[in-house]
Amino acid sequence: MIDYHVHYHQHGESGEYELQRLESIAKTAKRKGLVEVGLSEHVFRFVEFVDVVGDWWNDTDDPKWLRDHCEKYFAQHATQSVHRYLDFLRADHDWGVTIRAGLEVDFFPGRMAEVKQFLDSLELDFVLGSVHWIGAWGFDNEEVSDEWERRDPDSVYEQYFDHLLALASTGVPQVLAHPDLPKKFGYRSRNYDLAAAYSGLVTVCTREGVGLEVSSAGWRVPAQEQYPERQLLEVAVSRGAQLTTASDAHVPELVGYRVDNLCELLKGLGCREIYGYRQRRPIRFPLDPPENSESRS
């Protein structure tokens, strides 16, 4: 089993990277039967990224209070060095679990060429692509979740999937993270054609060689459902899309959270293998590996 969405820091937390926490992550992973863990800090945590996207929130026509909230959020989080982070992950440790170095990257309309150039300059094993913002609104952020009451869910879902399709086509991510994230707080689309959206997303992902994340994080939020929902998973499996498993853990205790349940779900849908990544190239992991087998590069 593998978990390719693990964060070192909690939201709102900062501080130096310390070996003790990384060891706790690895030990939890090993105890839960994982063979690889992908560390995927949010790229907006790093000071080197500040000039890459600049004040992107001012490109939107959202109310000033939302743009101000977004600006404050980015300023609070951009405190670390990406080079320190990658050096920290690549140090040689023998914990019985492979640590892969990754980043989680959002979609910044009109600025993805600069984002790609920045990421291509780094030695990464994988990049998770995410959509957390519709304009300057962080739609999955509890601090601004009241905004859902002022929005049409169908419009939110439409904009979300438009962004996700665009992100998949940028050449930036190896995997799209939590690919139906708008359901987090329990708001569901009423009339938006999700079946068509799912089909279109899988078409683009298979064409571009981009994987889809299957995440247990949805079981920890009001949605009470894995990301993505079963209908999207069925389409992805039937068309042979690359899938990976993830917890979106922000504390060591949640590493590998219910990944075994995700694997059982995927096997029940007919999936026979999942994917990890090394130097941004896919690695296959059989869901029912022979004893003592190793992953294939």
Side-chain angles (χ1 to χ4, degrees), residues 105-126:
V105 178
D106 281 277
F107 181 62
F108 301 97
R111 307 199 182 197
M112 291 308 294
E114 293 84 354
V115 171
K116 185 177 187 302
Q117 183 177 14
F118 173 76
L119 294 172
D120 286 349
S121 72
L122 304 174
E123 292 186 16
L124 297 166
D125 287 314
F126 69 103

Side-chain angles (χ1 to χ4, degrees), residues 1 3 21-22 45 83 109 121 141 166 169 182 197 199 206 259 270 283:
M1 295 190 297
D3 184 346
R21 184 177 295 191
L22 186 60
R45 283 192 171 276
H83 302 294
S121 72
N141 188 332
S169 302
S199 178
T206 52
V259 167
I283 311 166

Side-chain angles (χ1 to χ4, degrees), residues 57-58 60-71 134-137 147 150-151:
W57 46 86
N58 285 326
T60 77
D61 57 2
D62 284 303
K64 186 176 185 301
W65 73 269
L66 267 180
R67 289 184 279 119
D68 287 347
H69 181 275
C70 192
E71 181 177 10
I134 302 294
W137 175 41
E147 183 68 9
R150 295 183 283 271
R151 304 262 180 151

Side-chain angles (χ1 to χ4, degrees), residues 217-229:
W219 286 321
R220 305 196 301 268
V221 298
Q224 287 293 290
E225 179 183 67
Q226 80 285 335
Y227 300 115
E229 69 162 297

Side-chain angles (χ1 to χ4, degrees), residues 71-208:
E71 181 177 10
K72 180 181 178 182
Y73 187 88
F74 269 66
Q76 286 176 333
H77 284 81
T79 61
Q80 306 297 313
S81 165
V82 70
H83 302 294
R84 167 78 178 95
Y85 164 73
L86 293 176
D87 288 345
F88 173 73
L89 294 185
R90 294 191 183 286
D92 188 19
H93 306 297
D94 185 15
W95 292 320
V97 174
T98 299
I99 302 293
R100 297 294 181 195
L103 291 171
E104 184 175 4
V105 178
D106 281 277
F107 181 62
F108 301 97
R111 307 199 182 197
M112 291 308 294
E114 293 84 354
V115 171
K116 185 177 187 302
Q117 183 177 14
F118 173 76
L119 294 172
D120 286 349
S121 72
L122 304 174
E123 292 186 16
L124 297 166
D125 287 314
F126 69 103
V127 174
L128 296 181
S130 299
V131 175
H132 291 99
W133 281 275
I134 302 294
W137 175 41
F139 62 85
D140 72 320
N141 188 332
E142 291 85 350
E143 295 176 359
V144 290
S145 60
D146 287 350
E147 183 68 9
W148 272 101
E149 298 298 326
R150 295 183 283 271
R151 304 262 180 151
D152 171 21
D154 288 337
S155 178
V156 174
Y157 274 77
E158 181 178 7
Q159 292 175 81
Y160 172 82
F161 279 102
D162 284 348
H163 283 353
L164 204 61
L165 283 169
L167 177 57
S169 302
T170 59
V172 168
Q174 277 62 66
V175 183
L176 297 181
H178 36 60
D180 59 350
L181 184 59
K183 72 183 181 189
K184 176 179 177 178
F185 297 121
Y187 293 91
R188 301 282 182 158
S189 171
R190 293 185 290 267
N191 299 304
Y192 179 62
D193 190 347
L194 283 172
Y198 295 162
S199 178
L201 178 62
V202 172
T203 295
V204 171
C205 285
T206 52
R207 183 188 72 210
E208 301 292 333

